[in-house]
Amino acid sequence: MNTNQDLSAIRDEVFQKIGRNLVNFQKIELLLKHLIANGQVSGYINEFPKSQKKKVADTRKKTLGTLVGEFVETAFQSPNSSPEPTAERIEPYISFSFSVEADGDFYESKKRELKALVDDRNDLIHHLLPRFNPESLNSCLEIRDYLDQQRERLIPEYEYLKSIIESFEEIKKEYTAFLSSAEGKKAFELGFLQQSSIVQLLLNVAVQKPRPDGWTFLSVAIQQIRQILPGEMEQLENRWGYQTLPDLMEASEYFDIIKEELNNGGYRWAYRSKPALAYAASYRLIQAITDTANKTGKTDDWTSLVATAKQIDASYSNELSEVTEKLGYQSLYNFMVESDLFEWRTGKGDGVHNICYRLKQS
């Protein structure tokens, strides 16, 4: 084979490898679009198909660099960031999030690798042609080797994203099957009931207006419901399918209910939140944390977690013990993070590592 034939064959090979790498970049882009469009979804059932269709359409327009940035910032976060309505949910609401568990080192390395991926793609699209001389055998050989090296960097990222999607699709399949089952439908309806305004109000009244023995008269709660949620008592059956408030409370699985006989032959209802919920202890802890922040917070509203922990240990150790034992929290910090009521920042003061918090800004 003469030199011209060598050049022609290698030049054709270069063009083929340019096309190969472009296709691989497009595959990676499609994987990222799928993950971003479907990895975190939420909305009311009647709005969900339309909003999800719009999200998919919007994602299709994004560049590889934007997709990588969104993936890095969302895929390695805890699955708590899906927006949810702040008002009472008037119908079933879906929220599904998918994230990848990773330590700080892995996160930083993956961030670098994916950023390099974007740089590689931009180099191929925008900068390869000016330095490629198709009439030079040496240039063709150089570009051929470069394209092979680029492919070697592409394949691990493609396989990584592909493995995430395979895991994601398997989880979604199991989740969908569960929601379609009788058990799943019951769990969905139960969660909807437990998060309702009427159940939350019943829990709060049980904490705020208990008898000395820890039980609360249901009549007191009904009075509060009529004041704060007018019309709710009359809509129990139409809205929730229960004829009486005790029936609804029993269905929520959040309450113990007793029927007390009176001397005149009548009876009255009393209730409390189930001890396993540790709701009263959690409520008092949140109040104490908030009060401490109001009293000791700096001018910028940030409060030292160390100072708050000392105050809780001194005055609310029983509540903290109950919460950690019954609900499985490892620490006050863990409890506060899971409550999702606070913002956090980390800094250094007086040479000591310090964590500060404040109530989330409305």
Side-chain angles (χ1 to χ4, degrees):
M1 184 178 290
N2 59 38
T3 302
N4 288 335
Q5 289 175 323
D6 288 343
L7 174 61
S8 178
I10 293 174
R11 183 168 54 212
D12 288 345
E13 187 180 357
V14 167
F15 289 139
Q16 289 172 359
K17 291 183 176 184
I18 289 174
R20 175 200 65 192
N21 286 13
L22 281 173
V23 169
N24 284 335
F25 277 119
Q26 289 176 351
K27 286 180 178 180
I28 289 173
E29 190 170 313
L30 288 174
L31 293 177
L32 285 167
K33 286 178 177 178
H34 181 80
L35 284 169
I36 289 170
N38 298 283
Q40 293 186 347
V41 296
S42 60
Y44 287 112
I45 281 183
N46 70 327
E47 302 171 349
F48 184 78
K50 182 179 179 180
S51 62
Q52 187 59 20
K53 184 178 180 180
K54 183 180 185 302
K55 185 176 182 181
V56 170
D58 291 342
T59 303
R60 286 176 182 162
K61 303 174 186 177
K62 295 178 179 178
T63 64
L64 181 62
T66 300
L67 293 168
V68 165
E70 288 191 24
F71 174 75
V72 169
E73 293 306 316
T74 59
F76 301 103
Q77 303 295 322
S78 68
N80 277 329
S81 56
S82 296
E84 297 191 11
T86 54
E88 182 187 4
R89 299 173 188 173
I90 57 175
E91 62 179 278
Y93 184 89
I94 294 175
S95 179
F96 175 83
S97 297
F98 179 88
S99 62
V100 180
E101 185 175 350
D103 60 23
D105 291 340
F106 182 85
Y107 168 80
E108 291 298 333
S109 66
K110 189 53 62 180
K111 186 176 180 179
R112 287 193 301 270
E113 290 164 1
L114 290 173
K115 172 62 169 60
L117 185 78
V118 176
D119 293 340
D120 262 341
R121 184 263 184 193
N122 290 339
D123 185 63
L124 178 64
I125 299 299
H126 302 294
H127 306 297
L128 182 70
L129 188 59
R131 67 175 187 269
F132 173 41
N133 180 3
E135 302 303 324
S136 166
L137 180 60
N138 288 335
S139 178
C140 287
L141 290 171
E142 180 182 344
I143 295 299
R144 183 189 66 178
D145 292 342
Y146 168 79
L147 292 168
D148 284 340
Q149 294 168 9
Q150 187 180 70
R151 178 182 180 275
E152 292 303 310
R153 294 191 295 271
L154 281 173
I155 295 304
E157 302 309 319
Y158 171 78
E159 294 296 335
Y160 173 71
L161 294 172
K162 183 181 176 184
S163 70
I164 291 179
I165 286 185
E166 288 173 350
S167 299
F168 168 71
E169 291 298 327
E170 185 61 30
I171 291 173
K172 189 168 73 171
K173 181 179 177 181
E174 294 176 1
Y175 182 70
T176 302
F178 174 72
L179 287 181
S180 301
S181 67
E183 181 184 3
K185 291 176 181 178
K186 179 181 178 182
F188 189 84
E189 292 171 357
L190 177 61
F192 187 39
L193 176 60
Q194 289 175 342
Q195 295 301 313
S196 66
S197 292
I198 191 169
V199 169
Q200 294 302 309
L201 181 55
L202 285 163
L203 286 168
N204 289 340
V205 173
V207 171
Q208 296 169 7
K209 300 180 181 295
R211 302 187 311 201
D213 61 0
W215 293 83
T216 300
F217 291 127
L218 187 57
S219 59
V220 174
I222 291 174
Q223 184 181 20
Q224 292 291 304
I225 292 171
R226 293 193 187 282
Q227 290 178 356
I228 299 173
L229 302 172
E232 191 76 18
M233 291 297 301
E234 289 70 32
Q235 294 294 320
L236 286 181
E237 187 168 6
N238 290 337
R239 185 168 186 183
W240 301 106
Y242 302 105
Q243 292 185 344
T244 69
L245 188 59
D247 290 338
L248 180 146
M249 295 169 69
E250 184 176 0
S252 76
E253 300 181 5
Y254 272 180
F255 305 100
D256 291 328
I257 309 169
I258 56 175
K259 191 175 183 180
E260 299 177 334
E261 293 185 1
L262 301 176
N263 293 332
N264 61 7
Y267 66 88
R268 64 188 175 190
W269 294 97
Y271 78 99
R272 67 181 181 185
S273 62
K274 287 185 178 293
L277 293 176
Y279 187 84
S282 298
Y283 182 90
R284 288 192 292 270
L285 271 183
I286 292 296
Q287 292 298 311
I289 292 166
T290 303
D291 290 344
T292 301
N294 291 335
K295 293 176 182 177
T296 64
K298 301 175 183 178
T299 55
D300 59 2
D301 294 331
W302 291 96
T303 302
S304 167
L305 179 63
V306 173
T308 299
K310 290 180 180 178
Q311 181 66 31
I312 296 299
D313 285 338
S315 305
Y316 294 90
S317 59
N318 291 337
E319 285 81 357
L320 182 59
S321 295
E322 184 177 351
V323 165
T324 54
E325 290 172 9
K326 292 183 177 178
L327 302 183
Y329 294 113
Q330 300 300 312
S331 64
L332 178 66
Y333 171 73
N334 185 233
F335 167 74
M336 293 173 67
V337 169
E338 290 297 320
S339 75
D340 200 29
L341 295 173
F342 306 100
E343 295 177 331
W344 300 90
R345 76 175 184 186
T346 303
K348 290 187 176 180
D350 299 326
V352 178
H353 194 64
N354 191 23
I355 299 176
C356 295
Y357 71 94
R358 68 180 180 186
L359 283 170
K360 284 189 173 180
Q361 306 298 300
S362 58

